[in-house]
Amino acid sequence: MKPSVTGVGTTMGSYYGRPIVKEPTWQPEIPFYLFTGGLAGASSVLHGVARLTGNERLAKSALYVGAAADVVSPVLLVSDLGRPERFLNMLRVFKVTSPMSVGSWILVVSGGASNAAAVLELWGKLPRLKALAELASFVSGPPLATYTGALLANTAIPVWSEARDELPWLFGASAAATAGAAAAIATPTEFAAPARRAAIGGAIAELGLLKAMERKLGFVGEVYERGEAGRYAKISKTCVAAGAGLLALAGRRSRTATVAGSALVLAGELALRWSVFKAGFQSARDPRYTVIPQKERKRRREAS
């Protein structure tokens, strides 16, 4: 075997000096889809909670934000697939063991329900049908916000598959922060307290989960410190921490602070999706991230 010199300057034996796993074929639309899907799913949950607690102004904001994100998400996905019929073909079956199949149906159900509820809210008609649509949107919200993490973890890409237990939770926390920040911008300050709390709580949970994920990944997690993934990771952590801090310190008193802090959180959450996306490419490129974890798992099995 010829040694392959990787992009980070290390050497690991692989056939013909080529990577062991292929890089993802996904296009740049996918990080934006991961962002809008999380925003749509968590907004549905925030809408339902606000409705149950009697905060009608916040409920409307979250409903319209989620419906808009549910419109954009399929457009991004179809654009990546290249032809609309490819998306329709994924709906021909429902396979519980396939995150792609389950996610496609979740996207259809959530998008249809949230947009139906938004249209009926605007019209002010058919309250019972609107309530059913809101319920369907609320129930499908958490799966929509987290399934993309499970989808990435179900691949052979080392940095994704090694974080299979953390990615769905990370995406869920990020989605909560995203939905809270977006709703806080769209809602008057006096009604936006639950949205601000969602943004702050989601941000804190996300930063904690990131630290736990990086610790578990070990040396595989070094891709989040290098190259494009590292740059996006730094932007994400800085913006999320600064935005959450601004919301916590001044969001209750200042509309300007609420908008600025929420905008920073949104920018950081989008950067997080790009960081995870680019990390997948970087880890697939370097054979070390495939070979060494496999050898470690083999040693553990033999020892036990």
Side-chain angles (χ1 to χ4, degrees):
M1 292 191 299
K2 292 170 59 180
S4 65
V5 180
T6 69
V8 293
T10 57
T11 302
M12 167 63 67
S14 66
Y15 288 106
Y16 307 110
R18 297 176 64 85
I20 295 173
V21 297
K22 291 183 178 180
E23 293 182 24
T25 59
W26 291 331
Q27 301 302 309
E29 292 91 339
I30 292 302
F32 292 103
Y33 168 68
L34 300 178
F35 176 81
T36 58
L39 173 58
S43 293
S44 296
V45 176
L46 180 59
H47 162 71
V49 172
R51 186 77 79 190
L52 289 171
T53 56
N55 192 336
E56 294 297 325
R57 184 61 184 83
L58 176 59
K60 287 184 179 181
S61 296
L63 176 62
Y64 294 143
V65 167
D70 269 322
V71 169
V72 174
S73 294
V75 174
L76 292 169
L77 185 56
V78 169
S79 177
D80 175 73
L81 293 172
R83 295 200 303 269
E85 61 269 23
R86 289 177 175 170
F87 177 72
L88 297 176
N89 287 338
M90 291 193 291
L91 302 177
R92 294 171 61 184
V93 296
F94 180 78
K95 190 175 182 182
V96 179
T97 57
S98 169
M100 180 69 77
S101 175
V102 173
S104 299
W105 279 100
I106 290 172
L107 182 61
V108 169
V109 172
S110 177
S114 67
N115 280 279
V119 170
L120 293 173
E121 179 73 36
L122 282 172
W123 286 353
K125 296 180 179 180
L126 304 175
R128 291 184 179 178
L129 180 59
K130 182 171 74 75
L132 287 175
E134 289 174 334
L135 178 61
S137 177
F138 179 80
V139 171
S140 60
L144 180 62
T146 56
Y147 98 88
T148 48
L151 177 63
L152 296 182
N154 202 46
T155 67
I157 304 301
V159 76
W160 294 344
S161 62
E162 293 294 323
R164 65 181 65 88
D165 295 328
E166 291 80 21
L167 274 177
W169 294 102
L170 176 64
F171 276 28
S174 174
T178 304
I185 291 175
T187 308
T189 304
E190 59 268 29
F191 300 106
R196 292 194 300 270
R197 288 195 292 268
I200 296 167
I204 293 172
E206 172 198 329
L207 294 173
L209 285 164
L210 268 174
K211 183 66 68 175
M213 183 180 76
E214 290 170 358
R215 190 184 310 116
K216 179 188 174 182
L217 284 172
F219 91 98
V220 177
E222 70 188 16
V223 294
Y224 284 111
E225 302 173 358
R226 300 177 176 181
E228 290 184 276
R231 287 193 291 272
Y232 282 119
K234 289 178 182 177
I235 292 171
S236 175
K237 291 175 182 178
T238 301
C239 288
V240 169
L246 187 56
L247 285 172
L249 293 174
R252 181 166 38 180
R253 301 185 304 274
S254 169
R255 175 68 179 164
T256 301
T258 294
V259 173
S262 297
L264 283 170
V265 171
L266 289 171
E269 300 306 347
L270 180 58
L272 172 67
R273 301 311 200 279
W274 273 99
S275 176
V276 173
F277 181 69
K278 289 297 184 180
F281 287 79
Q282 292 173 206
S283 72
R285 220 171 278 148
D286 191 334
R288 293 182 314 145
Y289 302 130
T290 302
V291 173
I292 294 178
Q294 290 178 344
K295 290 183 176 180
E296 289 178 349
R297 284 193 293 271
K298 181 181 178 182
R299 281 197 294 269
R300 287 197 297 268
R301 285 197 301 268
E302 291 174 347
S304 62

